[in-house]
Amino acid sequence: MNGDERISVLFETEGTYPFVGGGVSTWCKILVEELPQVNYHIYAITGTPNVKWRYERKDNVVEVIHIPLWGTEEPAEYILPHDRPSPIRFSTLYLRKKATTEQIIEQKFVPLFRHFLRGLEETSTDVLTYGVTVHAIYRYFLEYDYNVTFKSRPVWEAFKDEILRPYREHPERFFPNEYPNLFDLTTALRWLYNMLMGFNAPVPDTDVSHSTIAASCGLASIIAKLEYGTPFILTDHGVYARERYIAVSATDFTFFAKRFLINLSCLLSKLNYAYADQLSPCANFNQRWEIPFGADPERVATIYNGVNPETFVPGPKPEQFQNYPTCVAAARVFPLKDIETMIWATAIARESIPNLKVIVHGSLKADPPYVQKCRDLIQELRLGPGKGDTSGDEGADGVESWTFRFGGYHNEPSKIFTVGDVTLLSSISEGFPFTVLESMSCGTPVVGTDVGGVKEALEGHGIVAPPRRPTEFAAGMVRLLSDDDLRQQLGRKCRERILAKFRTSTSVDGYRDSYYKWAAYKREHMDEIREQNAELIVAWEREIEAITTQRSFASNRQAKTCHSEER
């Protein structure tokens, strides 16, 4: 295909572009802006319906399918197309509800639902048939109502039966307090109802699909592959399954609830990896998780993130900080960024560098309780007032009054890194972070944690410390701030490395080539794609038939037992 020919891409995001800022959103914005010949259909999953566009909508964004997982009474409120080329009529919704009888649900949905739920207990990476179930469920909801189906008695009975199956069949694996109670079961079904909301959304026929995470948004790519033969590109930034392990483990949920959420996350990731025609992590590190979770090594092609070295350039340090050794960070303040470790490290480093200053720029709206927890720690360690609002902490003008402060959102990211002598990144999980690349492009060396692709980016051009180790992190801060020659030498090497390897143009070219390669493949190999899909469907039909036969046998046995008791 000609590289100037217009092609279409189904671009799937989750909690990021175009409604939320951050590294992944920056990467999405770059692709959309730098590839004007690509028509993007944005399939955006968000937490709630009340979101606003964070970025200017470009002409090549031809459609935005917004899927809020929570906060709607009816999926039709936000998800189903009202203002798009093929609007859905109220009469259609009404007729769907009328058609969704218990008999229909029992016959057409429950076998699919049972098969999907069995996937939660699948320990192998052979999950292809579960992808066919995903497609079949999508097609079911083209005809029948989501709310009526999920809130029906047959679904509740099937859910209980399948979720309790491992506890019935393998009781030796569980302690008594690990069994679910009624509250656990109802909560889990409500979670599933929300997390699978994407089944309501129309999936358009495009040349290529591209998911930005191996999560629920990637189910649209699986549907597109089986429905239209659309090739599937998957980009892993942070590893979804790993980050869910971290997040879920930190909650106070019951054992059952944690197990349910982690199993669901693992199934979603395994499905994405199994169906992806090209898996392009933003760092080689991610393969440590991707391949054990079922990714084919031959389909993996790392495409590193890149930055524009004409935008992120070295500059003079502002006068107000000239007499202060200064560290900066660019990060949304929420637990994965582990700002607490950065605060503790600052307190330790201040013992060696009394006039140290640390400023964190980034949104303070992502997790307000966590922001308050960090501010309380700042006060406790006497690093500053530790007071403020979503625009930042108090005391911005009185440099002498603080050691650590939140600077809030900065509308000129390229200016953040010229303030600091050193940039900090204390995350416990990352992909290939833009903040590291942007700092390097500005000639500001980095102290970062050894997570994701941070070490791959720095590679002798900065200091890497283990995550959640404030003493070692502080040692890196002190070393760079105390050694002017080393800091300047690393700063020059950082800039050279960006120019040589991590430019925006290099990253964008990688995706442009991938888009056109797979768009051509779809056009030239459709018969082969259909044949592969047909073979997969045959295997899937055997599994569904086995479930149906199993349930029929169980029902007959139960009926005979009741009849005998009556006699």
Side-chain angles (χ1 to χ4, degrees):
M1 291 182 66
N2 188 319
D4 295 325
E5 183 179 347
R6 295 205 73 81
I7 60 171
S8 56
V9 172
L10 176 61
F11 200 37
E12 301 142 16
T13 68
E14 192 156 325
T16 56
Y17 184 87
F19 302 115
V20 180
V24 176
S25 296
T26 298
W27 171 86
C28 294
K29 175 178 178 288
I30 288 170
L31 284 186
V32 170
E33 292 181 352
E34 296 294 324
L35 295 175
Q37 71 274 42
V38 175
N39 287 338
Y40 280 100
H41 298 250
I42 309 295
Y43 181 100
I45 290 180
T46 63
T48 68
N50 302 315
V51 293
K52 295 181 180 179
W53 274 72
R54 179 68 178 270
Y55 302 94
E56 178 187 356
R57 180 166 177 170
K58 297 299 180 181
D59 292 340
N60 60 330
V61 175
V62 297
E63 178 180 26
V64 178
I65 304 165
H66 177 208
I67 304 141
L69 299 185
W70 310 85
T72 61
E73 291 295 323
E74 279 281 351
E77 288 182 69
Y78 288 91
I79 299 173
L80 295 177
H82 296 282
D83 58 350
R84 292 197 286 276
S86 301
I88 191 163
R89 298 177 183 274
F90 174 80
S91 58
T92 303
L93 297 176
Y94 174 76
L95 291 173
R96 280 187 187 179
K97 287 185 181 294
K98 291 287 286 183
T100 312
T101 63
E102 283 205 356
Q103 183 179 6
I104 286 291
I105 294 168
E106 191 72 63
Q107 290 176 354
K108 295 192 173 185
F109 182 75
V110 166
L112 307 179
F113 191 51
R114 284 183 178 276
H115 190 247
F116 182 84
L117 292 174
R118 291 185 186 187
L120 301 183
E121 297 296 326
E122 182 61 64
T123 56
S124 77
T125 56
D126 182 13
V127 295
L128 287 172
T129 55
Y130 297 106
V132 185
T133 293
V134 166
H135 177 235
I137 291 174
Y138 167 78
R139 291 197 63 83
Y140 169 88
F141 286 122
L142 292 176
E143 295 184 55
Y144 302 105
D145 187 76
Y146 190 81
N147 261 351
V148 175
T149 297
F150 258 97
K151 295 176 181 180
S152 67
R153 191 158 62 103
V155 165
W156 168 242
E157 295 297 337
F159 182 78
K160 283 191 302 179
D161 187 56
E162 293 297 335
I163 291 298
L164 293 173
R165 177 184 297 276
Y167 298 89
R168 284 196 311 270
E169 296 180 354
H170 303 285
E172 74 282 357
R173 296 179 182 175
F174 304 97
F175 291 109
N177 64 346
E178 294 174 349
Y179 281 68
N181 56 33
L182 182 60
F183 177 79
D184 286 326
L185 291 170
T186 55
T187 299
L189 183 56
R190 283 198 299 269
W191 281 341
L192 203 59
Y193 166 86
N194 290 102
M195 292 175 181
L196 299 182
M197 196 66 74
F199 281 129
N200 288 281
V203 175
D205 184 3
T206 57
D207 294 304
V208 178
S209 73
H210 186 182
S211 181
T212 62
I213 186 172
S216 60
C217 66
L219 297 182
S221 281
I222 296 171
I223 292 164
K225 188 169 185 176
L226 293 168
E227 182 79 10
Y228 311 116
T230 306
F232 174 14
I233 297 173
L234 171 61
T235 295
D236 247 349
H237 291 272
V239 178
Y240 175 72
R242 179 179 184 271
E243 292 185 350
R244 292 303 295 158
Y245 271 120
I246 294 170
V248 172
S249 298
T251 68
D252 58 359
F253 296 154
T254 64
F255 170 85
F256 167 80
K258 290 182 179 182
R259 184 176 185 273
F260 176 81
L261 290 172
I262 287 173
N263 283 353
L264 178 59
S265 303
C266 290
L267 176 61
L268 294 175
S269 287
K270 288 191 285 188
L271 280 167
N272 275 266
Y273 296 143
Y275 274 86
D277 295 287
Q278 176 178 317
L279 174 55
S280 287
C282 59
N284 290 329
F285 169 88
N286 292 359
Q287 295 182 44
R288 301 182 193 181
W289 285 78
E290 293 161 347
I291 292 173
F293 269 69
D296 182 349
E298 294 185 1
R299 297 184 180 185
V300 177
T302 298
I303 300 178
Y304 286 113
N305 295 340
V307 294
N308 185 344
E310 281 72 51
T311 299
F312 291 90
V313 296
K317 187 176 181 180
E319 185 175 347
Q320 70 182 114
F321 293 104
Q322 285 287 346
N323 298 322
Y324 299 96
T326 306
C327 296
V328 295
R332 282 193 298 157
V333 182
F334 70 110
L336 279 181
K337 300 301 179 181
D338 194 16
I339 303 300
E340 290 170 277
T341 286
M342 191 185 298
I343 296 169
W344 278 106
T346 299
I348 296 168
R350 185 176 60 174
E351 295 175 7
S352 302
I353 307 175
N355 59 342
L356 171 66
K357 304 296 172 186
V358 177
I359 313 165
V360 178
H361 282 290
S363 172
L364 296 166
K365 299 177 181 179
D367 191 332
Y370 183 73
V371 172
Q372 188 57 53
K373 186 177 182 181
C374 290
R375 282 176 166 157
D376 291 344
L377 183 59
I378 291 168
Q379 285 188 31
E380 179 186 339
L381 298 176
R382 299 186 178 182
L383 296 175
K387 297 178 181 179
D389 53 26
T390 56
S391 66
D393 285 357
E394 297 174 0
D397 297 327
V399 180
E400 290 285 353
S401 67
W402 54 270
T403 298
F404 189 107
R405 68 179 298 271
F406 290 125
Y409 173 73
H410 199 299
N411 60 6
E412 291 186 90
S414 60
K415 303 297 184 186
I416 294 174
F417 305 102
T418 59
V419 173
D421 302 294
V422 174
T423 294
L424 307 178
L425 181 140
S426 55
S427 303
I428 56 175
S429 182
E430 283 286 354
F432 198 67
F434 276 98
T435 183
V436 169
L437 301 180
E438 292 164 354
S439 179
M440 291 171 68
S441 186
C442 292
T444 305
V446 178
V447 177
T449 44
D450 188 8
V451 294
V454 172
K455 184 181 287 185
E456 292 173 54
L458 295 177
E459 196 175 24
H461 297 70
I463 292 178
V464 179
R468 287 178 168 162
R469 303 279 277 277
T471 301
E472 294 174 54
F473 196 88
M477 295 168 61
V478 171
R479 183 183 175 200
L480 283 185
L481 291 171
S482 302
D483 191 331
D484 292 346
D485 290 340
L486 175 63
R487 191 174 65 253
Q488 291 167 11
Q489 178 189 5
L490 288 179
R492 287 191 297 271
K493 290 175 67 177
C494 283
R495 175 74 178 172
E496 291 167 2
R497 183 162 171 77
I498 293 296
L499 294 173
K501 191 168 183 178
F502 300 126
R503 289 175 175 265
T504 297
S505 56
T506 305
S507 179
V508 170
D509 287 348
Y511 285 106
R512 179 192 292 108
D513 293 346
S514 297
Y515 285 167
Y516 280 92
K517 168 189 169 182
W518 289 108
Y521 183 88
K522 179 178 179 179
R523 297 182 188 185
E524 296 166 9
H525 295 84
M526 184 53 74
D527 289 342
E528 182 183 333
I529 292 170
R530 286 175 178 152
E531 186 178 329
Q532 291 171 349
N533 287 348
E535 291 175 1
L536 189 54
I537 290 169
V538 169
W540 169 78
E541 287 174 340
R542 287 197 295 267
E543 294 187 18
I544 296 298
E545 185 180 357
I547 289 176
T548 305
T549 304
Q550 225 174 46
R551 293 311 305 161
S552 177
F553 176 77
S555 297
N556 290 338
R557 186 174 57 185
Q558 187 177 11
K560 288 179 181 178
T561 302
C562 292
H563 183 64
S564 298
E565 289 175 354
E566 289 173 3
R567 293 178 60 187

